[in-house]
Amino acid sequence: MVDVAALNGVPYPDSLLLYHVEVIRLLSMCTGGKNNFTELKCHNLMSLEDIVSLIQHKQCLTLVKSVYVDFLTNCFVETEMEVKEVYSSAAVIWNLFANFADDIEKAVDTECDEDDPNSVHHYVATSVVKLLSDFFRSVFLETGSRPKIHDLERFNICSRIMRGLLRLVEEKWVKQNKTGYQASIADCMERLRDCLKARGTGLPIELSGLLDRSLERVRNASKLENLKNNLRRVREGLSVHEPGTGTVSANGLQGNLSRDDQDILDGLTDIVSEMDTYGQPLAVAEQSLLVDVMREPEEISGMQSQARAAFDNGEFIRKLVRHAKDVWVSQEALCLKILGTLTAMISGVKMSVDSEYTKENLALRKDLLRRYFTKRSKIRSVHARRDDAVEIIQTHLNEKGASDLVVDLIMKKGSDAVFKASIELGIALLDGGNSVVQKAIFSRLVGAEGSENSLLVFSEIISTAQTKLRSTLRVIMPDSGELDVSADVSIQRSPEPAKAEPTRRPSVRPSLFSPKSASRRPSLVGAEKSPPSPRSVRQPSDMELPIDVDEDDWEAKEEPLPREVAIMTVVLRFLQLLCENHNSEMQNYLRNQGSKSNVNLILQTLSFLDCICGSTSGSLGLLGHYVNATNVGLIDQTIVTLTEFCQGPCHENQNAIASNEAEGLDIIIALTLLDIKPLQDKAEDLVLGLKSNAVKLLLAIIESRQDSENAERLLHNMPVDTLVDKIIQHYHANETKSSEAIGAAEDNDRAPLTPREVGHAMFILAHQLAPYNPELEELLKPGSGQTGLRNEALSHYYAQTETIEIVRHDWTMERIVFPVPPVCAYLTPETKRRIFLETELDEQGSKVPDFCGHTDVLFKEMKWQKLLRETKFVYWISQRMTLWQSLSSDVAWLLNIIVALYYPFPDSAPALSLLFSNFLWLALLITAIFTVMRPGNRKFLLGFLVCSLTRSVYLVGPETTVRLLGWLNLGLNIISSVSYAGNMGTMKNSLRDMLRTPRFFYDLSLVLTCLAGLFVHEFFYGFLLFDIVYREETLYNVIKSVTKNGRSILLTAVLAVILVYMFSMAGYVLFADDFVLEVGHKKNNTLATCEATALGVPCEATGNDFYDEDEELACTSMLTCMVTTLVYGLRSGGGIGDVLRKPSFNDEYFFARVLYDLLFFFIVIIITLNLIFGVIIDTFADLRTEKQHKDDVLRNTCFICGLERSAFDNKATSFDYHYMREHNLWSYLYFMIMLQVKDPTEFTGPESYVAEQIKNEKLDWFPRLRAMSLSNTETLSDKVEMRAIQKELLATQTLVGKLSEQLAELQRQMSEHKNRRDRLKLMPGNHMFRTTASDDAVDFPLL
């Protein structure tokens, strides 16, 4: 059927082949669209296996392939009925996809003939791409039997297709095609990526990055092309004229708009979008200028002196504020305009600070400044953008009465619009935690008459919102329509719809997760006959998972929030900002105003959270149906506000939330542990943010608590096994997606949360609760007892979590658990070792001050190392800095050994025996093998280098070998310099700054020395050996022993020269004739030439004797006398007397000469020179002692607190555990780095305290000679004694209680006896009762 000759370029014959092709094309067209009957008929004509086999045939023509692929698309893929064999076939469809991958690669690798409609290029760009797009977009792929794309073979096929499409979309003929090849290929790639992600199988990171960039380019090109087309259509639509006239025809324009109205509107929309993109920064610049004008209108050019006086010192803003107070009732619109203007002033400055100014922005702003302001100094000061510009404007408005305006309008509670605008102005004033505005508002609330009304207003708004929520709370139940839960109901999900029974809300509600809460609500009459609800009888699975609801059965009505509820967002935000930065005065004031009309906004906010999450309906199991996309932002804001109420810490607010009778604590725990579906499936980022804030609230409740009360409350309401399971689940959730998000988070500080980060927050919560629950502590331990997935997750979180101890302002110690910032992973081991060894002690014996001084440098190095990872080659060199330095030193030694042995170099290579030659070849082969097996091992590299050099000396000669070694050493020194610059971050500095770095200057000197050895003389290589002094600490200390006290040694040497000068004068005057020295004179002036052999035979002179010996006087002048005394006197062991003429006893100056020699020997040789030697020796001994002490401190003293190892003897905590876990110095560094990268408004109480201490350059927060483990040990012994005393007191109380009971009984009996006697006295003497009573009288014991 297939014409093989056509493959070789022979044209298609008019034969049965063309007829067959047209028939298949006709069938394909018949099956297009919604025609189930025709599709079934075609299925019976040809099976899927036959079609795929034909397409895969090696000799199948491209024309035939094209029509059959189109037929397969229309008949089997793009259909309304599910063809199971297409989506579940094990081999057929995926074999076809493999063939598609080959065709795509062929289309990319060959040149396209645009005139040939039957080429493989057009076949791939049309038929293949359409089938792939329809296949991966099909609804049956989502809901039917799914193909196992995660299999390795099929995943590789998808990867091949994706790589081929990425190359195809960049082809020139694809980009130039007018029928949309590029857009269809991009759509196909996007469909394939979405399909892979939907099945949890993401693309490799590098492929995903290429895909994103390619799709972005296609979108930009498509947008640009659409913009051009729309502009053209707009011009065509507006250029319809009446024939013969010059006016536009309304009918023609209307007709054209009727025809292309949507395209015209789209084109105009794109134009507006592009103009907005360009004009938005300019608008920001102009708005920032208007803020400056309103702030200081008196500086406007041309303003008269009278006007300047009226507006001086911010009077314009003050009058504006005062006017808003006066007209808020009569002219509400004007008041709203003023409030909006004041709010816009702050927002405009904030936008200008946050945005990046371009040249156009700066030029516009500068030009406007010149037009508005007259003073150049004012222009320069205003033109300079400051980071604290927002705070300056906020403070300025506060000084002019803006904060008082906010409080007044809140207290008066006018219309909803005015109230909301005033709250928004308050939010703008407080944004960022402005402490000045906070104090002003607090003073206004506390000091003004009737100011408590403002909190009453907030209380009424919260109550109104709760009432509205209870009246409108609804949820959609399966098979039963909409269920109103505004009345309190209990809901049970069962196979048959259960009836809702009205119940009564109890006064005290137990925990959602408490196993003791079998009955959550009191029983009613007849309640025994009603089926139990999930809230009344706790099912075993309720603790683990929420009720999982299918989106097709259960839906939540996501209607807009009522007006009464929506206003709560800005109210809660305002309350949060009032307490921002842990404003303890405001936190306590919101809870207790100390007045008769006291309102507790803390508990009311908690009750609002309880209400909006649906707990009033008794349906916490259905939490996901009350939390939806409409109210999740409000719930999130409520949780954030409650968190700010507690942080600082504010212990009273913590206790109020933790001990509240409402189910607020249960709601918070439920939001943390339960799956919030279906919102979680639709908007996972919203749910993750909600869970993260819920965890922060739980941490705030137990923040800085010295007792265990709140922690035990949390543990009582929280199943610890579920908490650990959720930690593991979040770690492994969407691992591919999370890994990509983690990479994005490193590049962008504002990247969205990932499940792994939320799991880390839960882990920190569990870590803080673990000391109070042994079961939780055991579950959190990674080890052999855990499964692989659990162990992996827990090990990861333990590695990314650190603990430190700090000292608070009241000298109490506190433990902080925090996540390690990702940037800290880039701290290199070399830097850690350098900081650890080189940090110096201060006068008080602490290393903390010097350590804190390195924080900024280390942070910059971390950020540089992060950037360095992007340059693979430089990073590969930099991370092996120690190896390059060691190899450079080794090569320098080998090079100088060869120079010492063979210089001057012979003309030819030395001879070598065959046995030794074979031995060298064998050694070279063995070391080469070991070097390849262990490329990073220095010993193997050195052995290979030695064998290679030895072989080279006897193969090419020592001179060539030295030259090769010189080039190698030069390269190693250059690489070492680059690696140091890469590690330290000096590579980004200028050359001048780099030369100021001592280490880089030293490396540069080594490079210059190597160049001198290569191009000047080989003897320069000898200077490279001094590198051993820099590398070896012992030799460095030897040199340092001379240089450390260099001034003392120099002064002593000056004294020695002075003494020599004095002795020279005495010798010149008295003993000039005794300075007789034996000298040698050269016979000729030219040096003898000689030839040296490789064996080092000494030179022989060419003439007679080289020197003549003679005697001469050496003290003929003062200069020669002094030089002789200095040179020969100091070098002689006995002093100057060893070189002078030996005197005779008969000499006139014999005794003077003896005295002269002895004085020189004792004063100069023994005393002065030994003074110099003593200084050097003592300095070396001090250095050695200092080194030993330093090593002892490093081994036996805590770096942070300074406690010695002996302090932990016989204690529960060992010194090693304390040093590595409790007071790890890198943990403190990571904590200080975290304070720099974290948003200050997100600080917890301890973090704010430490940040303030660091800002004020105080180190009081570091524990000094203190540790919580030692304090706990002492506290434990005290507790034992206290328990013993308590037991004795309890026994004494019990005994006293028994004695009190006996005494009371005795008093009762005595009283009864006395009353009986009194009654008997009133009776006659012979009465029978009186006689009987006297006979029956008893004696009462005293005890």
Side-chain angles (χ1 to χ4, degrees), residues 730-935:
H730 280 82
Y731 176 82
H732 294 286
N734 300 331
E735 282 190 318
T736 304
K737 179 178 180 181
S738 298
S739 62
E740 296 175 358
I742 290 173
E746 294 180 356
D747 299 332
N748 185 8
D749 295 336
R750 298 181 180 272
L753 280 173
T754 62
R756 189 164 293 184
E757 291 174 345
V758 178
H760 198 178
M762 293 182 181
F763 177 82
I764 292 176
L765 173 64
H767 192 282
Q768 301 228 32
L769 294 175
Y772 309 103
N773 190 296
E775 179 185 357
L776 179 58
E777 188 174 11
E778 189 65 26
L779 288 173
L780 288 178
K781 290 181 179 179
S784 57
Q786 304 282 6
T787 61
L789 296 178
R790 294 174 68 91
N791 191 36
E792 177 188 353
L794 295 176
S795 300
H796 170 79
Y797 285 138
Y798 260 109
Q800 298 299 319
T801 305
E802 294 293 345
T803 305
I804 65 170
E805 296 176 357
I806 66 170
V807 179
R808 296 299 293 261
H809 53 81
D810 56 354
W811 300 107
T812 59
M813 295 192 67
E814 181 179 346
R815 182 174 287 112
I816 299 178
V817 183
F818 65 95
V820 178
V823 71
C824 294
Y826 299 102
L827 187 64
T828 60
E830 291 81 4
T831 302
K832 285 186 175 182
R833 177 175 176 80
R834 176 172 56 84
I835 295 297
F836 179 73
L837 295 177
E838 296 180 3
T839 305
E840 300 294 339
L841 294 169
D842 63 356
E843 297 177 354
Q844 299 179 353
S846 175
K847 294 185 177 182
V848 170
D850 191 24
F851 174 69
C852 292
H854 291 88
T855 304
D856 293 335
V857 178
L858 293 176
F859 185 39
K860 292 179 181 178
E861 182 179 341
M862 293 176 191
K863 293 190 289 187
W864 167 253
Q865 287 290 333
K866 179 181 176 182
L867 295 175
L868 188 64
R869 297 297 196 275
E870 300 176 0
T871 309
K872 302 296 183 182
F873 178 70
V874 179
Y875 171 65
W876 184 85
I877 292 177
S878 300
Q879 68 177 349
R880 291 167 174 81
M881 180 177 64
T882 306
L883 177 63
W884 307 131
Q885 295 172 358
S886 302
L887 288 178
S888 175
S889 178
D890 296 338
V891 169
W893 280 96
L894 294 174
L895 197 151
N896 281 278
I897 289 174
I898 297 176
V899 171
L901 291 177
Y902 296 102
Y903 192 86
F905 302 122
D907 295 335
S908 60
L912 186 65
S913 62
L914 180 62
L915 179 63
F916 189 55
S917 177
N918 293 334
F919 174 76
L920 284 179
W921 284 116
L922 180 62
L924 182 62
L925 178 62
I926 294 175
T927 54
I929 293 174
F930 280 104
T931 303
V932 173
M933 294 175 60
R934 300 285 298 277

Side-chain angles (χ1 to χ4, degrees), residues 5 49 121 171 188 301 306 405 560 679 771 991 1008 1090 1113 1131 1149-1150 1199 1216 1229 1295 1309:
E49 290 78 5
H121 305 83
E171 290 292 319
C188 180
S301 60
Q306 184 178 1
L405 173 64
L679 179 62
L991 181 60
L1008 295 177
C1090 63
L1113 290 175
R1131 290 193 301 149
Y1149 298 106
F1150 174 77
F1199 193 99
D1216 294 333
L1229 173 64
L1295 180 60
Q1309 293 180 4

Side-chain angles (χ1 to χ4, degrees), residues 33 119 123 145 354 397 534 714 862 901 1014 1039 1045 1129 1184 1201 1231 1273 1339:
S119 64
Y123 157 68
S145 53
D354 294 341
L397 293 179
L714 291 183
M862 293 176 191
L901 291 177
L1014 279 170
I1039 303 300
N1045 291 325
R1184 183 175 58 185
C1201 66
F1231 182 74
T1273 303
D1339 296 330

Side-chain angles (χ1 to χ4, degrees), residues 1074-1081 1107-1114 1124 1128 1131 1138-1142:
D1074 292 345
F1075 283 80
V1076 180
L1077 300 178
E1078 294 182 357
V1079 297
H1081 299 281
Y1107 293 103
D1108 284 339
E1109 294 184 357
D1110 195 2
E1111 292 182 351
E1112 67 177 17
L1113 290 175
T1124 303
Y1128 294 100
R1131 290 193 301 149
D1138 290 351
V1139 297
L1140 297 183
R1141 181 184 62 84
K1142 304 300 183 289

Side-chain angles (χ1 to χ4, degrees), residues 132-144:
L132 291 173
S133 299
D134 292 343
F135 178 83
F136 290 108
R137 183 173 51 209
S138 175
V139 295
F140 301 118
L141 185 65
E142 299 294 333
T143 60

Side-chain angles (χ1 to χ4, degrees), residues 388-558:
D388 57 348
V390 177
E391 186 177 355
I392 292 175
I393 294 297
Q394 290 173 338
T395 307
H396 178 75
L397 293 179
N398 173 69
E399 292 173 354
K400 306 312 172 187
S403 58
D404 293 339
L405 173 64
V406 171
V407 177
D408 290 340
L409 293 180
I410 290 175
M411 287 191 301
K412 295 174 182 177
K413 187 58 175 68
S415 64
D416 292 343
V418 173
F419 178 78
K420 184 177 180 181
S422 59
I423 292 292
E424 289 174 348
L425 176 58
I427 292 174
L429 290 169
L430 292 166
D431 192 21
N434 192 311
S435 58
V436 176
V437 181
Q438 286 179 339
K439 292 179 181 179
I441 294 179
F442 178 75
S443 301
R444 173 69 174 170
L445 290 175
V446 174
E449 182 179 355
S451 58
E452 64 275 2
N453 293 335
S454 58
L455 297 188
L456 290 175
V457 170
F458 291 138
S459 177
E460 293 174 0
I461 291 175
I462 297 175
S463 301
T464 303
Q466 293 186 52
T467 304
K468 188 66 176 180
L469 282 174
R470 292 190 181 100
S471 63
T472 60
L473 196 61
R474 297 176 182 273
V475 66
I476 303 296
M477 300 297 295
D479 304 327
S480 58
E482 185 181 274
L483 179 66
D484 187 357
V485 293
S486 56
D488 220 357
V489 295
S490 294
I491 301 172
Q492 176 192 14
R493 187 186 181 194
S494 59
E496 297 180 359
K499 295 182 179 180
E501 296 292 338
T503 57
R504 184 167 48 88
R505 182 162 185 155
S507 59
V508 179
R509 297 181 294 184
S511 168
L512 168 67
F513 296 103
S514 176
K516 298 180 181 180
S517 58
S519 178
R520 298 297 304 271
R521 299 187 180 277
S523 60
L524 303 175
V525 178
E528 295 82 357
K529 298 181 181 180
S530 62
S533 67
R535 297 291 302 274
S536 60
V537 178
R538 187 174 177 273
Q539 301 296 334
S541 60
D542 290 347
M543 187 185 299
E544 306 296 334
L545 294 171
I547 300 177
D548 193 5
V549 183
D550 191 281
E551 295 184 24
D552 296 334
D553 296 332
W554 291 38
E555 300 179 337
K557 251 189 178 179
E558 298 181 4

Side-chain angles (χ1 to χ4, degrees), residues 537-590:
V537 178
R538 187 174 177 273
Q539 301 296 334
S541 60
D542 290 347
M543 187 185 299
E544 306 296 334
L545 294 171
I547 300 177
D548 193 5
V549 183
D550 191 281
E551 295 184 24
D552 296 334
D553 296 332
W554 291 38
E555 300 179 337
K557 251 189 178 179
E558 298 181 4
E559 299 177 351
L561 290 174
R563 177 179 51 81
E564 297 85 353
V565 180
I567 193 64
M568 284 296 299
T569 303
V570 293
V571 170
L572 292 173
R573 174 64 176 165
F574 180 70
L575 295 178
Q576 173 204 346
L577 292 175
L578 285 176
C579 302
E580 194 76 59
N581 294 332
H582 321 303
N583 187 356
S584 59
E585 293 180 339
M586 184 60 71
Q587 288 172 334
N588 292 317
Y589 185 76
L590 294 180

Side-chain angles (χ1 to χ4, degrees), residues 75-319:
C75 188
F76 287 83
V77 177
E78 195 179 20
T79 176
E80 289 187 345
M81 59 181 181
E82 181 179 1
V83 184
K84 295 183 180 298
E85 57 182 338
V86 175
Y87 300 101
S88 60
S89 177
V92 176
I93 196 67
W94 291 100
N95 290 338
L96 178 62
F97 287 169
N99 183 265
F100 284 171
D102 297 336
D103 291 338
I104 294 173
E105 294 173 358
K106 181 179 178 182
V108 173
D109 296 335
T110 58
E111 186 177 356
C112 175
D113 184 6
E114 299 183 3
D115 297 331
D116 185 8
N118 298 321
S119 64
V120 67
H121 305 83
H122 297 284
Y123 157 68
V124 167
T126 55
S127 302
V128 172
V129 169
K130 187 176 188 307
L131 189 144
L132 291 173
S133 299
D134 292 343
F135 178 83
F136 290 108
R137 183 173 51 209
S138 175
V139 295
F140 301 118
L141 185 65
E142 299 294 333
T143 60
S145 53
R146 302 177 179 180
K148 299 179 179 179
I149 297 179
H150 57 271
D151 291 351
L152 181 59
E153 181 180 358
R154 297 172 186 177
F155 179 75
N156 291 335
I157 294 174
C158 292
S159 298
R160 284 186 58 200
I161 293 175
M162 182 63 75
R163 293 180 189 276
L165 293 176
L166 283 171
R167 296 175 59 193
L168 184 65
V169 78
E170 300 296 335
E171 290 292 319
K172 183 178 180 181
W173 60 271
V174 173
K175 295 180 179 179
Q176 295 179 351
N177 184 266
K178 302 298 183 181
T179 58
Y181 282 177
Q182 193 177 34
S184 60
I185 295 173
D187 180 70
C188 180
M189 292 190 295
E190 195 168 3
R191 296 294 179 185
L192 178 55
R193 180 192 62 182
D194 295 342
C195 184
L196 290 174
K197 282 189 176 183
R199 280 147 185 79
T201 307
L203 293 170
I205 296 177
E206 67 279 2
L207 194 59
S208 179
L210 291 174
L211 177 60
D212 292 338
R213 289 191 290 272
S214 179
L215 291 177
E216 184 65 23
R217 286 194 295 269
V218 173
R219 292 192 191 100
N220 293 336
S222 177
K223 185 184 296 185
L224 182 60
E225 187 65 26
N226 290 336
L227 181 59
K228 292 179 180 178
N229 295 334
N230 291 332
L231 286 173
R232 177 178 54 80
R233 291 172 183 171
V234 169
R235 286 196 298 268
E236 292 176 355
L238 297 176
S239 61
V240 180
H241 292 73
E242 288 288 350
T245 65
T247 59
V248 178
S249 170
N251 295 331
L253 178 59
Q254 182 64 33
N256 196 29
L257 289 176
S258 310
R259 191 169 56 249
D260 294 328
D261 54 350
Q262 188 61 42
D263 293 338
I264 293 174
L265 291 176
D266 292 342
L268 291 175
T269 303
D270 292 338
I271 293 173
V272 172
S273 177
E274 293 295 332
M275 293 178 63
D276 182 70
T277 303
Y278 175 77
Q280 180 65 23
L282 301 178
V284 170
E286 186 176 6
Q287 187 175 5
S288 65
L289 177 77
L290 293 177
V291 173
D292 297 325
V293 171
M294 291 189 63
R295 180 187 172 190
E296 296 177 323
E298 66 274 10
E299 299 295 337
I300 297 177
S301 60
M303 182 173 288
Q304 300 299 324
S305 58
Q306 184 178 1
R308 294 178 67 89
F311 292 120
D312 197 14
N313 296 325
E315 282 299 317
F316 176 73
I317 298 296
R318 192 188 305 277
K319 292 179 180 178

